[in-house]
Amino acid sequence: MVGSISADVTAFADRLPQPGETVLGNDVTLVLGGKGANQAVAAARFGAPTWMVGCVGDDAFADLTAGDLRRYGVNTDLLRSVPGPTGVAHIRVDANGQNDIVNTPLANGHLDADQVDGALAALASQASVLLLQLEVRAGITAHAAEAGRRAGLAVVLDPAPAVAVPETVWQHVDIVTPNESEAGLITGIEVTGVDTARKAAQWFLDRGVRQVVITLGGAGAVSVTAAESHEYAPFAVTAVDTTAAGDAFTGTLGAALALGLGSADAIRHAMAAGALAVTKRGASPSLPDRDAVLALAGRPATA
């Protein structure tokens, strides 16, 4: 796992405020977050040996985030401490489980190519899948994708947030996992369902990605390769907080692949993990363990 680490400060209220408005909240939490850390936790909780490559600061949040990573079973030997504050995300969640997020990278901006290269060298023959996101500098993600491909790893990129990336990154990506809004922002194709998701997927395939898995929220997911396309029905759950649902999906997908599951089974387990994540509050605390994922994945999805 190469990516971001943050302390998530989450405020819960009946509704989100309009610009310039103050609303009263009903709860607040401070937990480990960051898309990289969340996906690492999801992978570790599914049972795959997981290493986190990233940066924390020299503040109290560094102890909280690194400590929680270890508590969830993630190896932190490849973390680097840098001067200044650890990354922070401010999250607001309404009564329907919808959220908005302001992510401030801070220490995450110090992740560099030398750290990535050193980590991949240290993990030679130990890792088979490399998970990436875009909460660190896009150039570093692109470098990690190329280095991971060169090292023989399966490179999985969650292109969130949907920021501009070097065009060369796509040719080094085996699997890309955008949600519908990210797919639309990146490709310029509005994704409103399965048909438009397939069109957006073709944009990624044309640029060298081997497999595109677009998640469609309550409508399930679509997987597209040059040879075939498959739809995956969602699991019916009651959403409490959608924070980290995508991280649960991608982290579990990477872990399932690393543990030897085929693509279809890996996606189904990833969808179960994403569904379970929305049933609990918070980022890392909502990420399900292996037994819960296996139990839900064994049930029929909705029609």
Side-chain angles (χ1 to χ4, degrees), residues 124-157:
S125 77
Q126 298 184 73
S128 58
V129 176
L130 174 62
L131 296 180
L132 303 171
Q133 320 78 36
L134 293 173
E135 283 186 344
V136 298
R137 288 178 291 153
I140 295 302
T141 299
H143 174 84
E146 181 176 0
R149 166 51 65 89
R150 195 164 53 243
L153 303 178
V155 178
V156 180
L157 172 61

Short mmCIF file of all heavy atoms in Angstrom, two decimals, residues 124-157:
data_model
loop_
_atom_site.label_atom_id
_atom_site.label_comp_id
_atom_site.label_asym_id
_atom_site.label_seq_id
_atom_site.Cartn_x
_atom_site.Cartn_y
_atom_site.Cartn_z
N ALA A 124 10.40 -7.00 -1.95
CA ALA A 124 10.58 -7.91 -3.09
C ALA A 124 10.32 -9.35 -2.66
O ALA A 124 10.83 -9.81 -1.63
CB ALA A 124 12.00 -7.77 -3.62
N SER A 125 9.49 -10.04 -3.40
CA SER A 125 9.08 -11.44 -3.18
C SER A 125 8.10 -11.62 -2.03
O SER A 125 7.62 -12.72 -1.79
CB SER A 125 10.29 -12.35 -2.94
OG SER A 125 10.81 -12.21 -1.63
N GLN A 126 7.75 -10.51 -1.32
CA GLN A 126 6.78 -10.64 -0.22
C GLN A 126 5.38 -10.15 -0.62
O GLN A 126 4.38 -10.60 -0.04
CB GLN A 126 7.25 -9.83 0.99
CG GLN A 126 8.56 -10.31 1.59
CD GLN A 126 8.91 -9.52 2.84
OE1 GLN A 126 8.31 -9.68 3.90
NE2 GLN A 126 9.90 -8.63 2.71
N ALA A 127 5.31 -9.21 -1.55
CA ALA A 127 4.02 -8.63 -1.94
C ALA A 127 3.70 -8.99 -3.38
O ALA A 127 4.60 -9.18 -4.20
CB ALA A 127 4.06 -7.12 -1.77
N SER A 128 2.40 -9.07 -3.69
CA SER A 128 1.98 -9.38 -5.06
C SER A 128 1.05 -8.32 -5.63
O SER A 128 0.84 -8.27 -6.85
CB SER A 128 1.28 -10.75 -5.11
OG SER A 128 0.15 -10.77 -4.25
N VAL A 129 0.47 -7.48 -4.78
CA VAL A 129 -0.49 -6.46 -5.21
C VAL A 129 -0.05 -5.12 -4.63
O VAL A 129 0.33 -5.04 -3.47
CB VAL A 129 -1.92 -6.79 -4.74
CG1 VAL A 129 -2.88 -5.67 -5.12
CG2 VAL A 129 -2.39 -8.11 -5.34
N LEU A 130 -0.13 -4.06 -5.44
CA LEU A 130 0.17 -2.71 -5.00
C LEU A 130 -1.09 -1.87 -5.12
O LEU A 130 -1.64 -1.71 -6.21
CB LEU A 130 1.28 -2.10 -5.86
CG LEU A 130 1.62 -0.62 -5.61
CD1 LEU A 130 2.12 -0.41 -4.19
CD2 LEU A 130 2.65 -0.13 -6.63
N LEU A 131 -1.55 -1.33 -3.99
CA LEU A 131 -2.73 -0.46 -3.97
C LEU A 131 -2.29 1.00 -3.96
O LEU A 131 -1.42 1.38 -3.17
CB LEU A 131 -3.59 -0.75 -2.74
CG LEU A 131 -4.23 -2.14 -2.65
CD1 LEU A 131 -5.05 -2.24 -1.37
CD2 LEU A 131 -5.10 -2.42 -3.86
N LEU A 132 -2.93 1.81 -4.81
CA LEU A 132 -2.60 3.23 -4.93
C LEU A 132 -3.88 4.06 -4.94
O LEU A 132 -4.94 3.60 -5.36
CB LEU A 132 -1.83 3.49 -6.23
CG LEU A 132 -0.53 2.72 -6.46
CD1 LEU A 132 -0.04 2.95 -7.87
CD2 LEU A 132 0.51 3.14 -5.44
N GLN A 133 -3.75 5.33 -4.51
CA GLN A 133 -4.84 6.29 -4.59
C GLN A 133 -4.24 7.64 -4.99
O GLN A 133 -3.08 7.71 -5.32
CB GLN A 133 -5.57 6.44 -3.24
CG GLN A 133 -5.79 5.16 -2.48
CD GLN A 133 -4.52 4.72 -1.78
OE1 GLN A 133 -3.75 5.55 -1.30
NE2 GLN A 133 -4.30 3.42 -1.74
N LEU A 134 -5.04 8.71 -4.92
CA LEU A 134 -4.58 10.02 -5.37
C LEU A 134 -4.65 11.09 -4.28
O LEU A 134 -4.84 12.27 -4.58
CB LEU A 134 -5.37 10.45 -6.61
CG LEU A 134 -5.12 9.59 -7.85
CD1 LEU A 134 -6.08 9.97 -8.97
CD2 LEU A 134 -3.67 9.71 -8.31
N GLU A 135 -4.50 10.69 -3.02
CA GLU A 135 -4.40 11.67 -1.94
C GLU A 135 -2.96 12.05 -1.64
O GLU A 135 -2.72 12.84 -0.74
CB GLU A 135 -5.10 11.16 -0.67
CG GLU A 135 -6.60 11.27 -0.75
CD GLU A 135 -7.30 10.89 0.54
OE1 GLU A 135 -6.66 10.26 1.42
OE2 GLU A 135 -8.49 11.22 0.68
N VAL A 136 -2.00 11.47 -2.34
CA VAL A 136 -0.62 11.94 -2.33
C VAL A 136 -0.38 12.59 -3.69
O VAL A 136 -1.24 12.57 -4.56
CB VAL A 136 0.38 10.79 -2.06
CG1 VAL A 136 0.13 10.19 -0.69
CG2 VAL A 136 0.30 9.72 -3.14
N ARG A 137 0.78 13.19 -3.88
CA ARG A 137 1.05 13.89 -5.14
C ARG A 137 0.88 12.93 -6.33
O ARG A 137 1.35 11.80 -6.31
CB ARG A 137 2.46 14.47 -5.13
CG ARG A 137 2.62 15.67 -4.20
CD ARG A 137 4.04 16.16 -4.20
NE ARG A 137 4.93 15.20 -3.55
CZ ARG A 137 6.22 15.08 -3.84
NH1 ARG A 137 6.77 15.82 -4.79
NH2 ARG A 137 6.97 14.20 -3.18
N ALA A 138 0.18 13.42 -7.37
CA ALA A 138 -0.14 12.56 -8.51
C ALA A 138 1.11 12.02 -9.17
O ALA A 138 1.13 10.87 -9.64
CB ALA A 138 -0.98 13.34 -9.52
N GLY A 139 2.18 12.81 -9.19
CA GLY A 139 3.42 12.33 -9.79
C GLY A 139 4.02 11.16 -9.04
O GLY A 139 4.63 10.27 -9.65
N ILE A 140 3.84 11.15 -7.72
CA ILE A 140 4.35 10.04 -6.91
C ILE A 140 3.51 8.79 -7.15
O ILE A 140 4.04 7.68 -7.25
CB ILE A 140 4.36 10.42 -5.42
CG1 ILE A 140 5.37 11.56 -5.18
CG2 ILE A 140 4.70 9.22 -4.56
CD1 ILE A 140 6.78 11.23 -5.61
N THR A 141 2.20 8.96 -7.27
CA THR A 141 1.35 7.82 -7.59
C THR A 141 1.74 7.23 -8.95
O THR A 141 1.81 6.01 -9.11
CB THR A 141 -0.13 8.22 -7.58
OG1 THR A 141 -0.49 8.67 -6.27
CG2 THR A 141 -1.02 7.06 -7.97
N ALA A 142 1.98 8.10 -9.92
CA ALA A 142 2.38 7.63 -11.25
C ALA A 142 3.72 6.90 -11.17
O ALA A 142 3.90 5.85 -11.80
CB ALA A 142 2.48 8.81 -12.21
N HIS A 143 4.66 7.44 -10.39
CA HIS A 143 5.96 6.77 -10.23
C HIS A 143 5.77 5.40 -9.58
O HIS A 143 6.38 4.41 -10.00
CB HIS A 143 6.88 7.63 -9.38
CG HIS A 143 8.18 6.95 -9.05
ND1 HIS A 143 9.27 6.96 -9.90
CD2 HIS A 143 8.56 6.21 -7.96
CE1 HIS A 143 10.26 6.26 -9.35
NE2 HIS A 143 9.84 5.80 -8.18
N ALA A 144 4.92 5.35 -8.55
CA ALA A 144 4.70 4.08 -7.85
C ALA A 144 4.06 3.06 -8.77
O ALA A 144 4.40 1.86 -8.73
CB ALA A 144 3.82 4.31 -6.62
N ALA A 145 3.13 3.49 -9.62
CA ALA A 145 2.49 2.56 -10.56
C ALA A 145 3.52 1.97 -11.51
O ALA A 145 3.55 0.75 -11.75
CB ALA A 145 1.39 3.28 -11.34
N GLU A 146 4.39 2.82 -12.05
CA GLU A 146 5.42 2.33 -12.97
C GLU A 146 6.40 1.40 -12.27
O GLU A 146 6.76 0.34 -12.79
CB GLU A 146 6.16 3.50 -13.60
CG GLU A 146 7.22 3.08 -14.60
CD GLU A 146 7.89 4.25 -15.28
OE1 GLU A 146 7.53 5.40 -14.98
OE2 GLU A 146 8.78 4.01 -16.13
N ALA A 147 6.82 1.79 -11.05
CA ALA A 147 7.77 0.97 -10.30
C ALA A 147 7.13 -0.35 -9.89
O ALA A 147 7.78 -1.40 -9.90
CB ALA A 147 8.26 1.74 -9.07
N GLY A 148 5.85 -0.30 -9.52
CA GLY A 148 5.17 -1.53 -9.14
C GLY A 148 5.02 -2.48 -10.30
O GLY A 148 5.23 -3.69 -10.17
N ARG A 149 4.68 -1.95 -11.47
CA ARG A 149 4.57 -2.79 -12.66
C ARG A 149 5.94 -3.40 -13.00
O ARG A 149 6.05 -4.58 -13.33
CB ARG A 149 4.05 -1.95 -13.82
CG ARG A 149 4.19 -2.59 -15.21
CD ARG A 149 3.62 -4.00 -15.24
NE ARG A 149 2.21 -4.02 -15.01
CZ ARG A 149 1.30 -3.92 -15.98
NH1 ARG A 149 1.69 -3.82 -17.22
NH2 ARG A 149 0.02 -3.97 -15.69
N ARG A 150 6.99 -2.59 -12.87
CA ARG A 150 8.35 -3.07 -13.17
C ARG A 150 8.75 -4.18 -12.20
O ARG A 150 9.48 -5.11 -12.56
CB ARG A 150 9.33 -1.91 -13.10
CG ARG A 150 10.69 -2.18 -13.71
CD ARG A 150 11.46 -0.89 -13.94
NE ARG A 150 11.56 -0.08 -12.74
CZ ARG A 150 11.04 1.14 -12.62
NH1 ARG A 150 10.38 1.70 -13.62
NH2 ARG A 150 11.18 1.80 -11.49
N ALA A 151 8.23 -4.11 -10.97
CA ALA A 151 8.54 -5.11 -9.95
C ALA A 151 7.68 -6.36 -10.07
O ALA A 151 7.83 -7.30 -9.27
CB ALA A 151 8.39 -4.51 -8.56
N GLY A 152 6.74 -6.37 -11.02
CA GLY A 152 5.90 -7.54 -11.22
C GLY A 152 4.67 -7.59 -10.35
O GLY A 152 4.04 -8.65 -10.24
N LEU A 153 4.29 -6.47 -9.74
CA LEU A 153 3.11 -6.44 -8.89
C LEU A 153 1.86 -6.13 -9.72
O LEU A 153 1.93 -5.46 -10.74
CB LEU A 153 3.26 -5.36 -7.80
CG LEU A 153 4.49 -5.47 -6.90
CD1 LEU A 153 4.52 -4.31 -5.91
CD2 LEU A 153 4.49 -6.80 -6.15
N ALA A 154 0.73 -6.61 -9.25
CA ALA A 154 -0.56 -6.21 -9.83
C ALA A 154 -0.88 -4.83 -9.26
O ALA A 154 -1.03 -4.67 -8.05
CB ALA A 154 -1.65 -7.20 -9.47
N VAL A 155 -1.01 -3.83 -10.12
CA VAL A 155 -1.21 -2.45 -9.68
C VAL A 155 -2.70 -2.12 -9.72
O VAL A 155 -3.33 -2.18 -10.79
CB VAL A 155 -0.42 -1.47 -10.57
CG1 VAL A 155 -0.67 -0.03 -10.14
CG2 VAL A 155 1.08 -1.79 -10.50
N VAL A 156 -3.25 -1.77 -8.56
CA VAL A 156 -4.67 -1.41 -8.43
C VAL A 156 -4.73 0.06 -8.03
O VAL A 156 -4.21 0.45 -6.98
CB VAL A 156 -5.38 -2.28 -7.38
CG1 VAL A 156 -6.84 -1.88 -7.26
CG2 VAL A 156 -5.24 -3.77 -7.72
N LEU A 157 -5.37 0.88 -8.84
CA LEU A 157 -5.47 2.32 -8.58
C LEU A 157 -6.91 2.72 -8.32
O LEU A 157 -7.79 2.51 -9.15
CB LEU A 157 -4.92 3.11 -9.77
CG LEU A 157 -5.13 4.63 -9.74
CD1 LEU A 157 -4.44 5.25 -8.52
CD2 LEU A 157 -4.66 5.28 -11.03
#
